[in-house]
Amino acid sequence: MRNIFRKRKFVLKVFSLVSSVFIWFYVVSSAETINNVSIPLVIQSPKGMAISNILPSHVTMQVSGPGLFVRKFQERVKKILVPASYYFPGKKKYKINLEKYRPKMPLGVELKSFGPSVVNLELDRLMSKTLPIKLNKSRISFKKPHKDSLTLSPKEVIVSGPKILVNKLKHIDTDSIELELDS
């Protein structure tokens, strides 16, 4: 009889210990937090097309919930992806509802705000063009032996992007160069 009583005491102590650990984890993880999460926005364009307008690079979400779950959500979500299968041949302007692509909230985490929820997207044909590089000489002074000894390499580059923007380019300027050569 005494043995059974001791076994019950031991089982009760183990149960109390395990229960207290679970309660401690619950209390620690249930501290309510509100976090702003900035998620990169990746919009795939269809083959042969390019995005011709400026779009936000990130989507901001405000989420609340137990701290542990909110942190896990932030670690899990890497990007919001709009696939190229979204597009129709011949159509160039789209109003994309990003709510459709937002990540699913885990149990206990609530979405407070999401923005932007809609983006306007414009597509144009993808084009490549070879352009010369133009030296931007803001302040270069040479002494006689070095006169005209400055050369560029490479002399041209290939640029690709939406046709409407690439057609406007005539050359590529270098950064401002300030140089003084004497000898």
Side-chain angles (χ1 to χ4, degrees), residues 4 43 58 95 113 119:
I4 293 174
I43 299 179
H58 287 76
K95 191 172 194 171
S113 68
V119 293

Side-chain angles (χ1 to χ4, degrees), residues 82-111:
V82 178
S85 61
Y86 183 88
Y87 308 103
F88 302 104
K91 190 173 178 187
K92 291 190 175 188
K93 292 187 178 190
Y94 296 88
K95 191 172 194 171
I96 299 177
N97 182 2
L98 296 178
E99 294 270 347
K100 180 179 175 182
Y101 301 101
R102 75 177 167 87
K104 291 181 181 167
M105 296 290 120
L107 186 66
V109 177
E110 181 185 350
L111 179 65

